Amino acid sequence: MSDFIWILGVFALVWTVLYFMDFIFRSCMFFPYIKFLHDTGFTIKPYGICWETMYFNRFILKMQRIWPSGVRKWFQFGALMVTLSVIPCLLIILFPVYNYYASQNSPPALMPIVPGFTIPISHLPYYMIAVFISMIFHEFGHALAAVR
């Protein structure tokens, strides 16, 4: 427990320093820093670091020209999966909430994922990799929608 609080404190300190330095460099118009952010596509925000790139645009446009039916099928598959998963996801979320309010004895079933509390810290890399892969597929779907 104390290790987790220590790790969380170090992370919060590093993030605060990073965000503060970004704020100072931007407000002072430190040109090399601003140019670096512009050239790399990084944006530092209060709750995350965003990376935008146009590096893959040619590949996606080329894929659309070479294999338009495949792009259409990929897009349709994604739309179908989202449509089919909406109802089960709603049930998974709403059923425990209903059980919690129907019987006052049961603990809340919806728990946030907090490393060290609800999942072991050793599982954090697997969780981060899964989120990263999901984000890539999600953003790839946006790219295909934009090309269509």
Side-chain angles (χ1 to χ4, degrees), residues 44-113:
I44 298 177
K45 296 183 179 181
Y47 300 108
I49 297 176
C50 297
W51 178 54
E52 297 174 2
T53 183
M54 292 188 283
Y55 182 77
F56 301 104
N57 287 4
R58 286 187 181 166
F59 169 73
I60 293 170
L61 288 171
K62 188 182 220 182
M63 198 170 71
Q64 169 66 22
R65 275 186 261 122
I66 293 172
W67 195 36
S69 64
V71 172
R72 190 178 331 103
K73 287 177 184 174
W74 176 272
F75 186 73
Q76 290 171 344
F77 174 74
L80 177 68
M81 294 309 294
V82 166
T83 304
L84 292 176
S85 66
V86 166
I87 293 176
C89 288
L90 282 174
L91 291 175
I92 288 171
I93 291 172
L94 294 177
F95 187 70
V97 172
Y98 172 75
N99 282 342
Y100 175 69
Y101 285 115
S103 66
Q104 296 299 326
N105 300 343
S106 65
L110 296 175
M111 299 288 238
I113 295 177

Side-chain angles (χ1 to χ4, degrees), residues 1 4-5 8 112 114-121:
M1 176 70 172
F4 174 72
I5 293 175
L8 189 63
V114 180
F117 290 112
T118 56
I119 63 169
I121 290 180

Side-chain angles (χ1 to χ4, degrees), residues 18-20 25-26 30 33 38-39 67 74 83 86 89 95 107 114-115 124 126 133 141-142:
L18 178 69
Y19 189 69
F20 179 72
F25 285 159
R26 284 180 177 274
F30 186 60
Y33 177 73
H38 180 268
D39 292 347
W67 195 36
W74 176 272
T83 304
V86 166
C89 288
F95 187 70
V114 180
L124 187 61
Y126 303 119
I133 291 171
H142 283 292

